[in-house]
Amino acid sequence: MTKIIQHALVTGGAGFIGSHLVDALIEQGARVTVIDNLTTGKMENLQDAGARVHFVEGDIRNRGLLQQVMDGVDVVFHQAAVVSVPLSVAHPLDSAAVNETGTLEVLEAARQAGCRRVVLASSSAVYGDDPELPKRETMAFGPLSPYAVQKMTGEYYAGLYTKLYGLETACLRYFNVFGPRQDPSSPYSGVISIFLDRAGAGRSPVIYGDGEQTRDFVYVRDVVSANVCAATEDTAAGKAFNIGTGKTITINRLWQQVAELAGIALAPDYEAARHGDILHSVAAIDAARRDLGFSPEISFEEGLARTYAWYQRQ
Ligand code: UD2
């Protein structure tokens, strides 16, 4: 059975993925509240939503505030996080405070408020570098960074909250998400945002390693659809799902496509592979197809063209 979302809370709703989710929820007629501390989120990401979103600036670890924004909410989409893997390696306590304790705060506040379901943003990082491909949800966890341990722990807590308190949860293991509003400004930003930024500036990109590593890039709108289904479908409760496309592209090919789009011919600079970089990553999405009715609709080429157009307008 499919349930309707009446009042959603999006943590991290001013961020890249969260803000797209906000737009989609509003379009569907849901009431939407956002809590975001604007550390990496930006108000301009909520421009389209405008006055239709109830925006609250604050941290998910502010218990009183969290209780307030949870009032009357039936579905929580927990997108707030410190998303950088290398940052979690450099500052494990700071990232754990948000990704682990913050997630527990969100689950606990949702339990106390009597929310129906919490959808958590997890990550393909939980699989580590298990060479078996594609990654399946039945594979063992193999976290290789504090970030991965934190996401894994969030999934364990979600499962516990279902068992102990009957709070419905669903976890989405994002693969490499891309699209408009992804911020290219950090060296650890998504590679597509960095490449598009470089191409726009007529500068060569850096490719770490030989560029033959592969990734499963999924367009943000498809990730949003997966979130909505994870909140509305009865079959999603209590489960974790890979959210990718099942297809891959090498980083070399990615730059070729970006250069073609931009109409430039710039050779990349090659540098040593990043410490801990995994070689190949691709999702098996059978479970998401079956239980969420998930089907990626935006092809990689189409998504890249849309994202390029967006960066050009910026
Ligand atoms: C992604 C997620 C991360 C985590 C991880 C799990 C993003 C942005 N990050 O990290 O949060 O879930 O997957 O495994 O989605 N690269 C270059 N040049 C650049 C930047 C990157 O060659 O300027 C390479 C990089 O070395 C890697 C690939 O491109 O091989 C993708 O890098 P990324 O940072 O976009 O994402 P990833 O897969 O490391």
Side-chain angles (χ1 to χ4, degrees), residues 170-187:
C171 301
L172 302 182
R173 296 177 184 164
Y174 299 160
F175 279 64
N176 288 65
V177 188
F178 76 104
R181 300 180 191 158
Q182 194 168 26
D183 183 358
S185 62
S186 138

Side-chain angles (χ1 to χ4, degrees), residues 110-134:
R111 169 176 92 95
Q112 286 186 13
C115 300
R116 177 172 61 79
R117 189 172 293 183
V118 180
V119 179
L120 283 98
S122 183
S123 165
S124 60
V126 298
Y127 295 114
D129 63 359
D130 187 328
E132 204 180 317
L133 294 170

Side-chain angles (χ1 to χ4, degrees), residues 124 127 133-138 172-176 216-219 222-223 226 240-248 281-298:
S124 60
Y127 295 114
L133 294 170
K135 309 288 190 196
R136 295 191 178 278
E137 292 87 348
T138 46
L172 302 182
R173 296 177 184 164
Y174 299 160
F175 279 64
N176 288 65
D216 182 339
F217 291 104
V218 56
Y219 191 65
D222 285 323
V223 174
F241 299 98
N242 288 342
I243 302 301
T245 65
K247 298 188 184 126
T248 60
S281 171
V282 60
I285 54 170
D286 319 52
R289 280 188 197 283
R290 187 187 59 231
D291 292 333
L292 303 180
F294 174 68
S295 171
E297 282 178 357
I298 313 291

Side-chain angles (χ1 to χ4, degrees), residues 83-85 123-126 128 147 174-177 182 187-192 194-195 205-209 213 215 217 251 273-274 277-278 281:
V83 294
S84 166
V85 173
S123 165
S124 60
V126 298
Y147 174 81
Y174 299 160
F175 279 64
N176 288 65
V177 188
Q182 194 168 26
Y188 303 112
S189 299
V191 65
I192 292 186
I194 295 177
F195 279 12
V206 173
I207 290 185
Y208 300 108
Q213 66 267 43
R215 289 294 184 274
F217 291 104
I251 301 304
R274 275 182 180 170
D277 212 28
I278 54 170
S281 171

